[in-house]
Amino acid sequence: MSKVSFYEEKAEEFAEPLAAEMGFELVDVEFVKEGNNVTYTLKLTNNGTASITRIKVIDTLPSELTFVKATYMYSGREESVTTLNNGNIEIPITQLDAGSSITINVTAKAGILPDTNDKTVENKMTVSANGFDAVTTNTVTNI
């Protein structure tokens, strides 16, 4: 089993086989202001020796955020997702070759944030692939 490191967190060991093959890095956005856009960046890296196919990234944004778009580079061209599927952002990636990576940017607009002193917003994504169980990224908390 290999280690998977997350942004600003210690590497954690996972029981899921997908985590052993693919590295995840969900980049933390420090501050979210009402009415402004916030972008979450997820980097997927295939650490294995074979291609991983039929990858699906799913993000269910917290109620404080409204989906704007998701973009990523795939096969040399920029792809985008601008609609939700049953309230979820679904990003399909046909194949990720061994040793390669892909960066996904999810942009959302902050609505009215909770009326508390710290006004936190939490987000995480789930990644699945053909032949592997789904793995959930670290939770990113914005203040």
Side-chain angles (χ1 to χ4, degrees):
M1 188 176 310
S2 68
K3 300 280 185 174
V4 178
S5 68
F6 292 129
Y7 183 79
E8 290 187 358
E9 291 187 12
K10 292 181 187 176
E12 296 180 18
E13 210 166 309
F14 287 89
E16 294 90 346
L18 180 60
E21 294 295 318
M22 188 179 290
F24 305 91
E25 182 180 16
L26 182 58
V27 178
D28 197 350
V29 180
E30 191 171 346
F31 299 102
V32 176
K33 293 187 179 189
E34 292 176 357
N36 289 351
N37 283 350
V38 59
T39 300
Y40 295 95
T41 300
L42 175 67
K43 183 176 182 181
L44 301 175
T45 303
N46 182 345
N47 296 320
T49 58
S51 295
I52 297 175
T53 59
R54 294 184 9 212
I55 301 165
K56 185 186 289 187
V57 177
I58 297 176
D59 188 0
T60 305
L61 290 171
S63 61
E64 298 89 359
L65 301 176
T66 302
F67 178 60
V68 175
K69 68 179 178 177
T71 59
Y72 56 99
M73 293 295 291
Y74 185 71
S75 295
R77 65 175 195 257
E78 184 174 271
E79 300 284 343
S80 65
V81 175
T82 57
T83 58
L84 297 175
N85 186 4
N86 294 321
N88 295 319
I89 303 162
E90 290 188 7
I91 302 163
I93 301 163
T94 306
Q95 181 172 309
L96 189 60
D97 294 329
S100 62
S101 62
I102 189 167
T103 301
I104 300 167
N105 295 302
V106 174
T107 303
K109 185 173 185 173
I112 302 300
L113 299 176
D115 190 21
T116 60
N117 291 336
D118 52 6
K119 294 188 178 187
T120 61
V121 176
E122 294 186 346
N123 190 31
K124 59 185 170 185
M125 299 181 193
T126 302
V127 181
S128 62
N130 186 39
F132 295 98
D133 293 329
V135 176
T136 301
T137 65
N138 57 306
T139 300
V140 173
T141 302
N142 311 110
I143 298 173

